[in-house]
Amino acid sequence: MTNLIIFLVGLAIMLVMMMKTKLGPFACMLIASLGIGMACGLGSAKTIDTIVTGFAGTCKSIGLLVIFGTILGIYLEKSKACLRIATTLLGIVGSKNSGMALAITGYVVAIPVFSDVALVLLTPLIKSVAKKSGKSPYALGTVTACSLLSTNAFVAPTPAPLAVIAVLGLDIGTSIMWGIPAALFITICVWLFGEFYLGRKPESWFTPLEDDHANDIQAITADDGNMPAFTASMTPIMLPIILILCGSVGGQILPDGSTVLAVLNFLGDKNIALAFGVVSAILCLARYLPDKDRYAPMNDALKISGTIVFITAAGGALAKIVSATGVGETIANILVASPIPVILIPFLITGFSKFAQGSASVAALLAAGLALPMCEAGLITPLEAFLSISAGSSLGSHVNNSFTWVYSEFIGCDIKTTLKTLCVGQNIVMSLAGIAATIFISVIAR
């Protein structure tokens, strides 16, 4: 119990450091890991060894995946493949169903592209569609933003799912197999929220920003003449997912030693599948970049992904300390003895952590570390823990989350409107839909 008190104090200090200092999550998590390990009596040598082991193990699990995923995202961004996907879907469903098209676009695009980048990319289209269809840009913006966040939380190769999978030891194919329908259900719910609640609010209910930035964006329209074809745009996204799923399914239905299984295991390896995705992006999309920039995403990705890998690995180090000190097991035992259903525990831990410090990725890593002992004790499966954590990443969203301000600035509404649209969509619609999907999947997947 003493170690638990030390952990809680260390966790509180870490969250305060994240909120009140400029050290950043990487340094704060490493400092917390060192302090908790030493205070719990692991000793300096074992504490350092545990941190290094957790850090290295996480880098090994997700390092290449994050780099490959970042390269994919940059190619999709720079080649305007995201806009091609959106405009094609809009052409299919028509302006009347523009909210549905933008929801599908967000659901697909956020698999390889970071949510904030994708929202910035799609903002001109959102504004243009709103003007043509007469629908509220804030309702359409909320639908798009929340659909981006749904797959961002549930479907690899986005960083947070990859990190949680690495900590829990969950097969990536299994996570994708169930994460895709869970995110789809959430996307449908946020589309209904935007269409039948926000879409019916009078214009006076929303308050635009007073500066000119929103108006500048509203005047931008997508240039349809220099975008890749829809099939070319979708191939780098879908190819890795299909390969990973084929590998997972093949492992369940084909006999050991089968030549076909060996091939599927190779192609379905998460690193190989993402590498094929990168190759397909080069083949399909590089021609739409200026000649001098056709291979630039390879180098640009290293600058972006390095930060993500190191922050995630620091979270892995903290999770390893939690395990080594026995704190995770203690917390698991206390929570199991409480009246709270076990499947809700990772969900609530993630939500409370995000509310306190703002980062969904950091919150998910913390929850994964605490959920691992519960998985090892057989109280919850790794799949249930993963889905519960992913659902909880929408909970606790407010002004301390950077995506909130990206939405406010680019969709063009004040913070009060942002809280009424995006934050309500995340905290209520997405989180409830996510935990409902988690409970349903837990019943049918057992």
Side-chain angles (χ1 to χ4, degrees), residues 31-232:
I31 292 170
S33 300
L34 183 63
I36 291 170
M38 295 283 287
C40 287
L42 290 183
S44 58
K46 188 174 181 180
T47 297
I48 294 171
D49 182 65
T50 302
I51 291 173
V52 171
T53 301
F55 190 94
T58 305
C59 284
K60 177 183 175 182
S61 297
I62 70 161
L64 283 176
L65 295 177
V66 172
I67 293 170
F68 289 155
T70 304
I71 295 172
L72 275 178
I74 294 174
Y75 269 114
L76 286 162
E77 172 195 348
K78 300 295 185 183
S79 67
K80 300 184 180 178
C82 299
L83 292 180
R84 168 57 73 192
I85 293 169
T87 53
T88 299
L89 292 172
L90 282 167
I92 294 172
V93 304
S95 296
K96 184 178 179 181
N97 297 311
S98 53
M100 181 186 300
L102 289 171
I104 297 171
T105 300
Y107 174 82
V108 173
V109 165
I111 294 173
V113 182
F114 300 120
S115 294
D116 50 356
V117 174
L119 183 62
V120 173
L121 284 172
L122 294 173
T123 295
L125 192 65
I126 294 168
K127 300 284 185 168
S128 178
V129 169
K131 191 173 183 178
K132 292 177 182 178
S133 65
K135 293 190 175 184
S136 167
Y138 312 110
L140 294 178
T142 300
V143 169
T144 308
C146 290
S147 61
L148 288 167
L149 292 169
S150 65
T151 41
N152 188 75
F154 279 86
V155 184
T158 48
L162 284 176
V164 173
I165 291 165
V167 173
L168 297 177
L170 177 65
D171 174 65
I172 188 171
T174 302
S175 74
I176 291 174
M177 188 183 304
W178 293 109
I180 284 176
L184 179 59
F185 176 69
I186 295 170
T187 299
I188 293 171
C189 291
V190 297
W191 169 71
L192 293 172
F193 171 68
E195 190 77 12
F196 297 103
Y197 178 71
L198 295 179
R200 295 182 177 180
K201 293 295 183 183
E203 189 175 345
S204 58
W205 196 76
F206 308 98
T207 306
L209 286 175
E210 295 180 358
D211 58 34
D212 295 326
H213 184 57
N215 292 328
D216 292 341
I217 292 176
Q218 200 164 14
I220 299 173
T221 57
D223 178 11
D224 205 52
N226 189 33
M227 291 192 288
F230 180 73
T231 302

Side-chain angles (χ1 to χ4, degrees), residues 2-4 6-7 35-43 325 327:
T2 302
N3 283 359
L4 176 59
I6 292 171
F7 168 75
I36 291 170
M38 295 283 287
C40 287
L42 290 183
T325 58
V327 170

Side-chain angles (χ1 to χ4, degrees), residues 226-305:
N226 189 33
M227 291 192 288
F230 180 73
T231 302
S233 301
M234 289 293 294
T235 297
I237 299 174
M238 298 308 299
L239 180 61
I241 292 175
I242 292 171
L243 290 175
I244 290 171
L245 289 178
C246 286
S248 294
V249 173
Q252 297 176 19
I253 64 176
L254 294 173
D256 293 338
S258 165
T259 302
V260 176
L261 178 59
V263 172
L264 287 178
N265 283 339
F266 173 75
L267 296 176
D269 176 84
K270 54 191 178 181
N271 295 293
I272 298 298
L274 263 293
F276 272 107
V278 170
V279 172
S280 69
I282 295 171
L283 295 175
C284 296
L285 306 177
R287 72 188 73 171
Y288 296 94
L289 276 64
D291 290 344
K292 62 183 179 65
D293 295 330
R294 287 188 175 178
Y295 302 102
M298 303 273 192
N299 293 323
D300 294 343
L302 298 178
K303 301 173 186 177
I304 299 171
S305 59

